[in-house]
Amino acid sequence: MTRYVIGLDVALVLAEQRTKIPGHHRLLAPTLLRSQVLAQLFADVQHGLVTRKEANQRLDYLRGLQIRLLGDRSLQQVAWKLAEELGWKDTFAAEYLALTKLQADALVTRDVDLMWAAGKLLTLASIDDLLS
């Protein structure tokens, strides 16, 4: 079994495509993913990029993926330290790195800045890796 932390961008792509994740993979994300997805889909509806119905379908799809959402004290401590080391203004992206460092085999993201930071610290994987 391979454990992947997925970024917001990847979660949204999976939801848009309603991709089937192989059973031998497990998905993880910081608890903040839930709020980030909701906020992004809300904004997409407000900007006319998707309908409310489609946004709800994407939310339902993501709920069905059984993503293990984590945000415990140790994740927060590691995220804080990483954000400090990387000179970031907040800890949001650092939570993805921290979770990968603590509990996963690889991070799956399409965010270039996050990939750059992660590449120095941990293993990256692609969406294709996640789907194989």
Side-chain angles (χ1 to χ4, degrees):
M1 171 181 29
T2 306
R3 295 164 304 183
Y4 292 105
V5 171
I6 59 168
L8 170 63
D9 54 345
V10 172
L12 293 170
V13 167
L14 296 175
E16 180 181 351
Q17 298 174 356
R18 290 176 182 74
T19 307
K20 182 170 175 24
I21 305 299
H24 57 278
H25 295 322
R26 294 293 174 257
L27 302 180
L28 300 98
T31 54
L32 71 99
L33 177 70
R34 182 183 297 132
S35 296
Q36 289 178 315
V37 165
L38 184 66
Q40 184 61 57
L41 289 173
F42 179 81
D44 289 349
V45 170
Q46 297 302 309
H47 291 101
L49 300 173
V50 297
T51 64
R52 173 66 193 263
K53 180 179 178 181
E54 176 61 25
N56 283 333
Q57 289 172 343
R58 291 179 187 187
L59 286 167
D60 287 342
Y61 165 83
L62 288 170
R63 289 178 192 119
L65 281 183
Q66 299 178 345
I67 301 168
R68 185 169 177 215
L69 300 172
L70 299 161
D72 63 7
R73 179 185 302 239
S74 62
L75 182 141
Q76 290 175 347
Q77 289 174 340
V78 172
W80 185 293
K81 183 179 177 187
L82 288 170
E84 276 185 331
E85 289 173 5
L86 293 166
W88 289 349
K89 294 178 183 180
D90 60 52
T91 60
F92 295 121
E95 287 191 40
Y96 289 91
L97 299 179
L99 182 55
T100 306
K101 187 174 182 176
L102 292 170
Q103 299 220 11
D105 299 304
L107 171 67
V108 184
T109 184
R110 296 168 60 181
D111 180 306
V112 176
D113 294 331
L114 191 54
M115 289 172 67
W116 176 83
K120 298 178 176 181
L121 305 168
L122 44 94
T123 302
L124 291 169
S126 67
I127 292 179
D128 290 339
D129 295 328
L130 176 62
L131 301 178
S132 63

